[in-house]
DNA sequence: TATTGTTATACTCTATAACTATA
DNA sequence: TATAGTTATAGAGTATAACAATA
């Protein structure tokens, strides 16, 4: 495809699937943040809380696994701890490390946030049929799988 | 879907199509920025240049159409003008306004950038079949169409 | 010496408010 | 009074460097 007239330039740019995927990603993130806002969480807070719930040992491990910078992880966990969703404890086996435990309140909010995201997902995918949703999911996963670990691209994050 | 065990929390979050669409959007933007980098452009520069090429009158109009703030538009056009891709002229009919014209150099870089984005698109969509690509494009457009102009969501941008 | 968590600092991106010139 | 463009400033978000405690 190439530009045939000046006025086509905008339509050509905006019509690209890549451009629309960028837009859709931003909309999806905004919807997720909106759904999490009643719980005082952002997508990144939820990402950190989920890592803690998964039992990833040490803040470094959480940072490495998620692509979130370790100094940013400190701030996220500060927020979560202030709200009572996680607790930090020195690891007796290696006193440099912190074990991050999810509190009962943290588990409860994780559960509620998960349901809120389910509703967001339904709103995002709209009236796509079940087979369309599966096809979309497969294609997205296929593209991500091919592009993951390619140099110069951002790591998984939220 | 609900959490059945702590260790599932992460897989459940990461497995959501919404989450993956956020990831894919970021990857697509990073790929586009990478492809444009040899021309000294970012996605937003290209968006501004494209608006100028489409003959949108006045910087305000360009800002309104794209959702880019008008003060940000000033900086983008400063960059483009410094590189010789656009020229600003007072509108004789309303001397408050600037007419933004794309120079020959600007048209040339727009053309080259467009081809670079075509290659990026091919890389992004990978080995999806033609019918898969069309189906993906339709589904993405359908979702965006339903969500556009919904309160609280970001405007089209780059 | 290297690593973990932390803090301080700087940098990027963007929005808000105030200014000017025109209408 | 309102609008177009501009500038100055401030705010979020993030990364880099340096530090104390521990290995």
């Amino acid at each position: 495809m190439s530009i045939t007239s000046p006025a086509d330039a905008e339509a050509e740019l905006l019509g690209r699937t890549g451009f629309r995927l960028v837009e859709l990603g931003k909309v999806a993130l905004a919807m997720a943040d909106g759904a999490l806002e009643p719980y005082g969480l952002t997508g990144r807070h939820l990402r950190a809380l989920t890592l803690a719930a998964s039992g990833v040992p040490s803040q470094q491990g959480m940072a490495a696994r998620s692509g979130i910078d370790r100094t940013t992880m400190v701030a996220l966990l500060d927020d979560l701890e202030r709200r009572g969703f996680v607790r930090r404890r020195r690891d007796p086996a290696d006193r440099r490390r912190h074990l991050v435990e999810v509190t009962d309140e943290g588990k409860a909010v994780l559960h509620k946030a998960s349901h809120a995201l389910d509703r967001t997902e339904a709103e995002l995918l709209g009236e796509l049929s079940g087979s369309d949703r599966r096809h979309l999911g497969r294609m997205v996963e296929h593209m991500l799988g091919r592009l993951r670990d390619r140099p110069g691209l951002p790591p998984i994050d939220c």
Side-chain angles (χ1 to χ4, degrees), chain A:
Chain A
M1 211 192 311
S2 91
I3 301 172
T4 55
S5 92
D8 285 345
E10 193 183 6
E12 181 183 326
L13 177 62
L14 270 54
R16 280 197 175 84
T17 299
F19 183 91
R20 288 183 170 154
L21 283 172
V22 173
E23 292 301 302
L24 187 60
K26 284 195 292 189
V27 168
L29 180 57
M31 287 173 70
D33 279 339
L36 295 174
E37 207 226 325
Y39 308 106
L41 298 175
T42 65
R44 310 200 96 194
H45 285 100
L46 182 64
R47 183 81 178 91
L49 189 54
T50 302
L51 285 160
S54 302
V56 177
S58 88
Q59 302 181 191
Q60 290 268 21
M62 294 169 66
R65 165 105 70 131
S66 63
I68 296 173
D69 191 86
R70 64 185 178 137
T71 64
T72 304
M73 187 61 75
V74 170
L76 289 172
L77 291 174
D78 284 347
D79 292 341
L80 292 173
E81 193 164 37
R82 199 175 317 114
R83 286 164 210 265
F85 297 153
V86 302
R87 208 171 339 176
R88 282 189 260 214
R89 233 179 18 132
R90 285 280 165 201
D91 182 348
D94 181 345
R95 291 189 46 72
R96 292 173 303 180
R97 296 188 166 191
H98 275 159
L99 302 172
V100 182
E101 298 165 344
V102 180
T103 64
D104 288 344
E105 288 87 350
K107 284 173 191 155
V109 82
L110 196 51
H111 194 253
K112 281 186 278 189
S114 183
H115 283 303
L117 284 188
D118 285 341
R119 289 190 293 274
T120 299
E121 185 101 340
E123 199 181 357
L124 175 70
L125 298 178
E127 59 252 0
L128 290 185
S129 71
S131 113
D132 275 358
R133 290 181 193 211
R134 282 188 295 277
H135 193 193
L136 175 67
R138 273 201 309 277
M139 288 192 283
V140 169
E141 187 168 20
H142 177 253
M143 286 186 277
L144 278 177
R146 263 183 14 99
L147 298 168
R148 205 179 303 275
D149 299 327
R150 185 167 290 219
L153 296 185
I156 284 193
D157 195 297
C158 193

